[in-house]
Amino acid sequence: MKIHEYQAKELLKHYGVPVPAGEVAQTPAQVRDIAHRLGKTVVVKGQVHSGGRGKAGAVKLAKNEHDAESAGEAILGHTFFFAQAGSDLTVGRVLVEEAVDISKEIYLGITQDRAQQRDVLILSTKGGMDIEDVAHNNPADIAKAFIDPLLGLTDYAARQVLFDAGFPKENIAKAVPVLKALYAAYLGTDATLAEINPLVITKDGTIIAGDAKWDIDDNSLFRHPEFAALKDTEGEDPYEAEAHRRGIQYVRLEGGDIGIIGNGAGLVMTTMDEVKRAGGKPADFLDIGGGAKADAVTSSLEVVLSDPNVKGVLFNIFGGITRGDEVAKGIIEGTKSLDVKVPIVIRLAGTRAEEGAELLKTTSLIPAATMQEAAQKIVSLAYAPK
Ligand code: GDP
Ligand code: MN
C-alpha cells in the first residue's frame, strides 16, 4: 500500500526524523491560510502516489501567501503526467510546508534486497530529482549497507555507509541517528520501501527530510489497523478498488470483455490462456480462493459484471477445499439478485462437482465438461451476433 508524502512524514516525525512544519490543503484558500500561518517561503506539493512530482510540475516554491495561493490554483484539481507512475494523475490535495534552505540533497532509502536476503540501506550524496540517472550512469556514487537482521542498523554500520557515500564529514555524527530512525520506522511500519529524497542538509547544517516515499507491505496490514485511514484509492482502477474493499483478488484487464472467475491463481491464469486461445479477450483475473462460500461467489460475480465491457463470464472451479455445490449455489443466488444479461458458462470439477451440476440443471447457466470446451462456449456465446 502506497501512502502520501504528508502521511509518511507523520510517521517519520513519530520515529524521530526531523521534517519541516506543514499542513495539508484541498483548496487554494486553505493553501493561503497555511502559508500565512507558516509566515515564510513555502513549498506547495501535490500529493499523489508517484515520485517525480517536481519534474511533472506538481511541486512549487512560493515566497508569500499570495504566491502560495496561485501555486495551489496551478496544482489542485489539475492532472499531470507522472513519468514514474507512467500515467496521468489528478491532484486532490497538496502539502504546504515551510521551504528548507537546501545546501545539499542526499538520497536515502531502505528496501529489501532479495538476493542478499537482507534489508539494504541506500545512500547517495548526488540525491534529488536526477537520482535515477545517477544510479544508471554513475553507480559508484551510490553506497549501500546490507543490514544484519540480528544486529539491526548499528552505529558503526551507519557511519561506514555515510563515509562510503562521501557524506560531508562534519555532518556524519548528526546523520547517524537519522539513518537509525528511518530504519526503525521502516521496520515498525512493515514497509517494503522507505525513501527520503532529498534528505536535505540545510545551509546552517541541519538535516531534515525534504520528501518521503513509503510503501507498506499489504500482507502486514492485518496487524496495523491504524493504517486503514491512510488508504487512498485515488488513481486506482475503481473496479479493482471495490474488489479489494470486498477482499477479492481481482485484476482488471484494459480492453477485455470475457469475465473470468476461478479458484487458485494458476487455474485462473490457465483459464485466461484458454479463453485467449479460443479467440476471446479476458476482461480480468479473479481468484475466489480456496474454500469459497456462496456469498463470496456472488460478490465476485457482482464485481466482474460491474465492468460494462463484459460480454460473458466463465467460471472455472476445481473443487478441492472449494465445493462444487457451494459454488453453484453462489452463482445461482448471484444471477438471481443481479439481473444478468450476459451468458455464463460454468466448468466444475472435483469435490461435489456432480451435486453442483445437478443444481445448475434448472437454470439458464451453461455447463461445460472441460476447460477448453468452456472457453470455446463462452467465446462463441459472448461474441454471437445479437
Ligand atoms: P519528487 O519530485 O516527487 O521527488 O518531489 P520532491 O519533494 O523531492 O521535490 C522535488 C524537488 O523540489 C526537490 O528535489 C528539491 O530540489 C525541490 N524542493 C522540494 N522542497 C523544497 C524546499 O523546501 N526548498 C527548496 N529550495 N527546494 C525544494
Ligand atoms: Mn523526491
Side-chain angles (χ1 to χ4, degrees), residues 32-42 62-65 96-99:
R32 187 194 55 225
D33 291 346
I34 298 166
H36 175 78
R37 274 200 293 281
L38 292 171
K40 49 175 87 160
T41 299
V42 296
K63 276 201 278 301
N64 53 49
E65 59 192 84
V96 185
E97 218 177 48
E98 59 180 15

Side-chain angles (χ1 to χ4, degrees), residues 43 45 51-54 59 61 99-100 102 105 128-129 197-198 210-211:
V43 57
K45 314 180 74 176
R53 294 164 303 160
V59 174
L61 279 169
V100 291
I102 298 179
E105 296 191 63
M129 293 198 282
N197 181 36
D211 189 12

Side-chain angles (χ1 to χ4, degrees), residues 123-138:
L123 190 69
S124 175
T125 52
K126 308 266 162 62
M129 293 198 282
D130 295 316
I131 190 67
E132 284 86 0
D133 298 339
V134 175
H136 189 258
N137 302 324
N138 303 89

Side-chain angles (χ1 to χ4, degrees), residues 4-153:
H4 290 299
E5 174 192 6
Y6 76 90
Q7 298 165 328
K9 279 180 167 165
E10 285 294 321
L11 296 174
L12 285 175
K13 195 164 138 187
H14 175 79
Y15 281 92
V17 176
V19 298
E23 286 175 55
V24 173
Q26 287 178 292
T27 66
Q30 289 170 352
V31 175
R32 187 194 55 225
D33 291 346
I34 298 166
H36 175 78
R37 274 200 293 281
L38 292 171
K40 49 175 87 160
T41 299
V42 296
V43 57
V44 181
K45 314 180 74 176
Q47 299 296 293
V48 291
H49 289 149
S50 173
R53 294 164 303 160
K55 285 188 177 165
V59 174
K60 291 186 194 304
L61 279 169
K63 276 201 278 301
N64 53 49
E65 59 192 84
H66 301 289
D67 289 1
E69 184 172 8
S70 310
E73 274 162 9
I75 298 174
L76 280 165
H78 291 270
T79 302
F80 300 84
F81 177 75
F82 295 90
Q84 203 180 88
S87 65
D88 285 337
L89 295 171
T90 304
V91 180
R93 271 171 283 188
V94 290
L95 172 61
V96 185
E97 218 177 48
E98 59 180 15
V100 291
D101 218 357
I102 298 179
S103 155
K104 205 160 179 55
E105 296 191 63
I106 306 294
Y107 174 93
L108 171 62
I110 302 180
T111 187
Q112 283 134 28
D113 187 301
R114 287 168 194 273
Q116 297 282 338
Q117 302 184 354
R118 296 203 166 186
D119 292 322
V120 58
L121 182 145
I122 303 167
L123 190 69
S124 175
T125 52
K126 308 266 162 62
M129 293 198 282
D130 295 316
I131 190 67
E132 284 86 0
D133 298 339
V134 175
H136 189 258
N137 302 324
N138 303 89
D141 286 335
I142 299 197
K144 289 183 182 175
F146 298 103
I147 301 170
D148 187 298
L150 295 179
L151 297 178
L153 182 64

